[in-house]
Amino acid sequence: MLLVRRIFLGMLAAPAIIHVSQAQDFPTQSLRLIPPYPPGGGTDTVARLLLPHLMAQLGQNIVVENRSGAGGTIGAAEVARSPKDGHTLLLDSMGHVVNATLMPNLPFDYTTAFAPISQLTWQPQMLVVPAASPHRSLAELVAAAKARPGTLPYASSGNGSGAHLAMAAFAKMAGMEVVHVPYRGGGPAMTDLVAGNVAMAFASAAAATAHVQAGRLRALGAAGLRRISALPDLPTISELGYPGFDWDEWNGLWTVAGTPAASVAKLYAATAFALNQPDVQARMNQIGIVPLGTTPEQFGAFVVEQRERTARLIREANITLG
């Protein structure tokens, strides 16, 4: 996992130049970019950052349509049934690989319905509590959870989301029992967390950094093996006594399987260009996101690895949609 990450983190230093002369006629109309979650979360943030540069490169308007619900499957289904011409894009996150395990009876198959374009980002996560929380450290939070098993509620952006899996993995490692409160996306979960209606959550750096910096949330630990660039003084959970804990999120871009390869290549080239723009990189660095821009082949292999990894956790932690 770490080796794969090191390889990917070097991708943007020298992005591949793709010859797309055979795709000059694409796109021929406006495109739809579908994040399958509500506005305000990390996935939506990435979509809005890339949008102006993608439109400039592709020469067409792109309409962002947030199609939230059912753990991201409503938006994914919309893309899966779209024409196989590359004009409909899915900007998804870890739920994309989780749902293949948790929801085997969907009307589409996550493993075959989509053509990978690029892994856009690493989305570092952090464990956060409301500013008024009595728990001022990770050790205090774990102690409180163990003293009152099954009482402390935590928010997530939905069943099987990256935030849900991160807490399931951490609770298993820490030996504590907490109560899952799923929301219809990261934005609504963050609103209730800031308001103090839940005790804690794993949240993406994109969604939580500004709240931490403004004093509305308190960060207790970074979820990955690397510290978050926007909060360099925040230790990782691994550093705080849980060695090897590593549950960052990520974002990727897909279109419909069966889309012509030349169109996929042109979409990838536009994506790599957008991710390399100084304003995009500066803003991502400001909120702790790591821009990537891997090739369709690399991204496809990464998705397979992630699907296998999350399936193991789902089995071991007995995660269900109930």
Side-chain angles (χ1 to χ4, degrees), residues 70 73-74 76-78 80-81 99 103-110 112-114:
T73 61
I74 291 176
E78 177 69 16
R81 61 175 170 256
N99 290 340
M103 305 179 187
N105 298 317
L106 289 169
F108 65 94
D109 185 349
Y110 269 100
T112 59
F114 305 100

Side-chain angles (χ1 to χ4, degrees), residues 245-307:
F245 186 81
D246 181 17
W247 279 95
D248 280 344
E249 278 215 62
W250 47 270
N251 291 117
L253 190 66
W254 290 261
T255 189
V256 187
T259 295
S263 298
V264 173
K266 192 166 187 178
L267 289 166
Y268 166 65
T271 299
F273 175 86
L275 286 165
N276 272 282
Q277 296 314 295
D279 63 312
V280 171
Q281 295 207 356
R283 178 57 180 155
M284 286 189 175
N285 183 69
Q286 185 181 33
I287 58 180
I289 297 176
V290 181
L292 293 178
T294 63
T295 67
E297 295 76 19
Q298 291 161 337
F299 183 37
F302 172 77
V303 168
V304 171
E305 176 202 17
Q306 287 287 291
R307 189 174 291 123

